[in-house]
């Protein structure tokens, strides 16, 4: 299936000419290996793929024994892969052959070897992996500066529509967003696509099953299989944190059903403190299983400077997975839940699903996730909850932060957003409400349909 990251890889190949390797980080089962191999087949004369999740000890030990002998290392890798690799014609030229280190986290020494391999210059190198940053996978190795890291996410809304054969709707959505004009007759069609995306999610295997058969029960089984893989990874790789990581993972749907959606550690253990669970949250975030959203103490320039890491929301990295994680499979087997979601008739819980998918789309668009929560016993005007804060790409001293409220229902108020605008006007850029209705601008607030979130 068509993925946007392909163009990033193409730009890297054409412009960097082997100066750096590229590292693709992302969750399991989001299509990293597939897209990299497709890229290798279409853009190189030959390639060699080493999957370190399956490679024998004889292969991984090559990086222990021959790091100081690149000629021998490369010739042994060629023999392992039974592929003939062709040298780069000259420095600054495009490479003819590519070596892929798939799931490189399982062989940290191979990642360390990138420095010498890039300096050698004869081939291009792509690495893929998850859990790249945990201590076990960086211990005792020199992280190469010749490595350019990019993140890969589940399929986004536009990629989902591409899979369904529609490449025209998103350019029109983008045009209407730029003009701040409503979609009018195409709003319902766009929302139909969006609801399908929200239900199926962006895991390529689930999307492919949906495209081919439109069988939501089969899609749900695929998503539950992926959740089982994540649970197994936690048990296998969470290194003395598996109990805490598992507890957080299983609690995510329950926490997102709360009105404020903040993760309450006391629900795990009465005396639990963030200092005891911070490493577990980091593990889940590094695995790209979740998207953590941290409280910013003030909606002003430099959100990370105001980050308050003891208060957070924990969203699933893929909303389709959240639905399968949250709801009983018997209800889904009857397709009752999916029918209600598709027709906007779910009486409860839709708020957590909609807010989760907004978090997912903001992350995929390159935003770090922050929210704003303020409580005051003395002044009602100081009490407010803002779902998300995003900053403009260009830093200015004022008017840099946009507040975002997410609304899942047809009837709602904007009390907190109005308070935030009144109190922090000098720091605020355009405020947004994301809702299921069409675009409108009213009282200085831009109301956007949910499917326009990736354009923020």
């Amino acid at each position: 299936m068509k993925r946007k990251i392909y163009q990033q890889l193409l730009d890297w190949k054409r412009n960097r000419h082997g100066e750096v390797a590229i590292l693709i980080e992302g969750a399991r089962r989001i299509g990293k290996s597939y897209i990299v191999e497709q890229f290798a087949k279409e853009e190189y004369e030959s390639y060699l793929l080493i999957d370190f999740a399956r490679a024998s000890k004889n292969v991984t030990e090559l990086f222990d024994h021959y790091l100081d002998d690149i000629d021998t290392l490369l010739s042994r890798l060629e023999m392992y892969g039974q592929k003939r690799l062709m040298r780069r014609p000259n420095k600054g030229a495009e490479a003819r052959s590519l070596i892929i280190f798939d799931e490189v986290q399982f062989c940290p020494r191979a990642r360390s070897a990138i420095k010498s391999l890039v300096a050698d210059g004869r081939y291009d190198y792509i690495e893929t992996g998850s859990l790249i940053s945990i201590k076990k996978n960086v211990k005792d190795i020199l992280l190469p500066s010749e490595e350019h890291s990019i993140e890969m996410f589940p399929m986004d809304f536009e990629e989902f529509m591409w899979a369904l054969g529609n490449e025209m709707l998103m350019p029109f959505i983008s045009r209407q967003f730029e003009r701040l004009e409503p979609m009018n007759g195409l709003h319902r069609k766009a929302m139909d696509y969006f609801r399908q995306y929200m239900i199926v999610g962006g895991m390529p295997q689930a999307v492919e099953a949906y495209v081919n058969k439109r069988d939501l029960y089969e899609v749900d089984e695929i998503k539950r299989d992926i959740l089982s893989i994540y649970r197994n990874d936690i048990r296998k790789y969470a290194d003395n944190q598996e109990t805490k990581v598992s507890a957080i993972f299983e609690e995510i749907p329950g926490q997102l059903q709360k009105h404020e959606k903040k993760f309450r550690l006391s629900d795990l253990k009465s005396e639990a403190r963030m200092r005891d669970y911070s490493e577990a949250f980091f593990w889940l975030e590094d695995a790209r299983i979740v998207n953590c959203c941290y409280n910013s103490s003030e909606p002003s320039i430099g959100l990370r400077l105001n980050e308050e890491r003891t208060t957070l929301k924990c969203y699933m990295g893929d909303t389709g997975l959240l639905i399968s994680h949250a709801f009983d499979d018997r209800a889904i087997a009857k397709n009752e839940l999916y029918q209600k979601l598709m027709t906007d008739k779910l009486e409860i819980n839709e708020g957590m699903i909609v807010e989760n998918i907004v978090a997912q789309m903001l992350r995929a668009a390159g935003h770090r996730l922050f929210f704003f929560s303020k409580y005051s016993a003395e002044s009602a005007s100081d009490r407010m909850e803002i779902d998300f804060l995003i900053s403009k790409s260009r830093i200015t001293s004022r008017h840099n932060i946009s507040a975002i409220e997410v609304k899942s229902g047809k009837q709602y108020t904007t009390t907190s957003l109005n308070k935030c605008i009144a109190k922090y006007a000098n720091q605020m850029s355009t405020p947004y409400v994301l809702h299921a209705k069409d675009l409108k601008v009213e009282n200085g607030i831009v109301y956007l349909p949910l499917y326009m979130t990736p354009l923020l």
Side-chain angles (χ1 to χ4, degrees):
M1 285 180 281
K2 186 177 174 183
R3 301 297 300 271
K4 293 177 182 177
I5 201 169
Y6 191 100
Q7 185 61 48
Q8 289 181 260
L9 295 175
L10 197 57
D11 291 342
W12 161 77
K13 178 180 188 288
R14 291 174 176 172
N15 299 327
R16 302 305 296 269
H17 300 148
E19 294 172 357
V20 294
I22 201 161
L23 169 65
I24 302 175
E25 296 185 65
R28 296 251 270 149
R29 295 300 181 96
I30 61 166
K32 299 188 299 295
S33 303
Y34 171 82
I35 198 65
V36 167
E37 190 160 16
Q38 285 297 111
F39 178 71
K41 289 176 181 177
E42 295 179 22
E43 306 299 336
Y44 291 87
E45 296 176 44
S46 65
Y47 72 95
L48 169 61
L49 186 149
I50 303 170
D51 181 356
F52 287 112
R54 295 186 175 90
S56 69
K57 189 176 180 181
N58 290 336
V59 175
T60 59
E61 284 183 343
L62 293 175
F63 295 91
D64 293 319
H65 300 323
Y66 299 111
L67 271 187
D68 58 348
D69 185 354
I70 294 299
D71 288 332
T72 302
L73 174 62
L74 289 173
S75 66
R76 294 289 179 92
L77 292 177
E78 276 188 287
M79 284 190 287
Y80 163 76
Q82 297 184 332
K83 293 285 184 76
R84 181 167 177 257
L85 300 178
M86 286 159 277
R87 289 173 177 260
R88 190 186 309 272
N90 51 68
K91 187 176 181 179
E94 286 191 27
R96 300 171 65 191
S97 295
L98 171 72
I99 295 180
I100 302 166
F101 291 162
D102 199 21
E103 303 292 356
V104 73
Q105 73 274 10
F106 292 116
C107 186
R109 291 287 286 171
R111 187 179 177 197
S112 184
I114 285 294
K115 183 178 181 67
S116 300
L117 293 169
V118 167
D120 172 75
R122 66 187 85 174
Y123 312 124
D124 278 350
Y125 297 89
I126 295 179
E127 307 162 272
T128 76
S130 57
L131 295 172
I132 290 295
S133 304
I134 63 170
K135 294 175 183 176
K136 178 181 178 181
N137 291 335
V138 296
K139 185 180 179 182
D140 300 328
I141 69 167
L142 178 66
L143 296 182
S145 58
E146 298 78 8
E147 178 185 86
H148 175 63
S149 178
I150 59 176
E151 285 189 273
M152 187 174 178
F153 298 94
M155 296 175 73
D156 68 16
F157 179 50
E158 185 172 18
E159 290 171 333
F160 179 79
M161 287 197 291
W162 289 347
L164 291 176
N166 190 326
E167 297 196 11
M168 301 301 295
L169 186 55
M170 198 64 194
F172 180 76
I173 291 171
S174 299
R175 188 161 57 249
Q176 298 307 100
F177 171 79
E178 290 169 5
R179 296 173 177 175
L180 290 182
E181 294 178 357
M183 295 282 290
N184 295 321
L186 287 175
H187 172 66
R188 177 172 289 186
K189 182 177 182 179
M191 279 302 299
D192 285 344
Y193 273 110
F194 179 77
R195 288 196 167 276
Q196 291 175 70
Y197 175 58
M198 185 169 66
I199 292 165
V200 174
M203 306 306 281
Q205 190 180 356
V207 174
E208 184 178 33
Y210 182 69
V211 169
N212 292 335
K213 297 183 181 179
R214 295 298 200 276
D215 184 342
L216 289 172
Y217 181 55
E218 182 177 328
V219 169
D220 187 69
E221 287 188 318
I222 289 169
K223 291 189 292 179
R224 291 184 188 278
D225 287 344
I226 294 171
L227 290 170
S228 294
I229 290 171
Y230 288 173
R231 289 185 176 99
N232 289 335
D233 283 349
I234 290 168
R235 286 191 289 268
K236 191 171 182 180
Y237 303 119
D239 280 341
N240 302 318
Q241 292 288 320
E242 58 269 19
T243 301
K244 291 176 181 177
V245 174
S246 293
I248 292 169
F249 179 75
E250 300 301 341
E251 185 65 20
I252 290 170
Q255 296 291 326
L256 290 178
Q257 288 186 70
K258 300 179 188 298
H259 174 66
E260 293 182 353
K261 300 177 177 56
K262 297 173 190 171
F263 202 102
R264 195 164 58 196
L265 287 173
S266 59
D267 289 344
L268 302 179
K269 200 173 183 181
S270 58
E271 68 275 17
R273 297 292 181 268
M274 182 55 72
R275 63 177 177 269
D276 301 318
Y277 282 82
S278 59
E279 193 170 340
F281 279 108
F282 173 79
W283 192 97
L284 282 166
E285 194 167 26
D286 192 58
R288 304 305 195 271
I289 293 172
V290 306
N291 291 318
C292 288
C293 180
Y294 294 98
N295 187 29
S296 181
S297 57
E298 186 179 348
S300 63
I301 184 171
L303 291 172
R304 297 192 75 168
L305 300 176
N306 300 315
E307 184 177 279
E308 201 272 286
R309 295 186 72 88
T310 59
T311 308
L312 59 78
K313 301 177 187 179
C314 188
Y315 300 103
M316 285 291 290
D318 180 74
T319 306
L321 292 181
L322 172 65
I323 292 173
S324 296
H325 190 13
F327 293 98
D328 188 282
D329 58 349
R330 289 171 295 179
I332 289 176
K334 298 174 185 175
N335 275 342
E336 292 175 358
L337 173 72
Y338 284 142
Q339 287 173 0
K340 289 182 177 181
L341 280 170
M342 195 76 80
T343 56
D344 194 19
K345 292 180 180 177
L346 188 69
E347 296 86 1
I348 58 171
N349 293 315
E350 186 162 313
M352 77 166 181
I353 298 168
V354 171
E355 192 167 319
N356 196 94
I357 201 164
V358 168
Q360 177 181 339
M361 292 190 291
L362 288 174
R363 267 307 276 123
H367 295 288
R368 306 299 300 180
L369 299 182
F370 297 94
F371 68 98
F372 180 56
S373 177
K374 187 168 184 177
Y375 175 76
S376 172
E378 294 80 25
S379 172
S381 63
D382 279 344
R383 292 196 292 269
M384 61 192 83
E385 295 284 337
I386 302 297
D387 295 325
F388 297 101
L389 298 174
I390 60 172
S391 57
K392 294 191 298 186
S393 57
R394 191 177 73 171
I395 299 298
T396 57
S397 59
R398 299 177 62 200
H399 307 298
N400 186 62
I401 305 299
S402 285
I404 299 174
E405 284 277 77
V406 180
K407 304 297 181 183
S408 57
K410 292 184 174 66
Q411 304 297 323
Y412 57 81
T413 63
T414 58
T415 305
S416 282
L417 187 59
N418 294 335
K419 290 178 185 178
C420 188
I421 294 168
K423 186 173 180 63
Y424 299 101
N426 289 338
Q427 295 150 231
M428 302 294 292
S429 185
T430 307
Y432 296 100
V433 170
L434 300 174
H435 64 176
K437 300 177 184 179
D438 205 346
L439 188 152
K440 68 176 182 178
V441 181
E442 191 174 273
N443 298 325
I445 300 173
V446 177
Y447 294 76
L448 296 177
L450 288 159
Y451 50 79
M452 287 189 180
T453 303
L455 303 174
L456 292 173

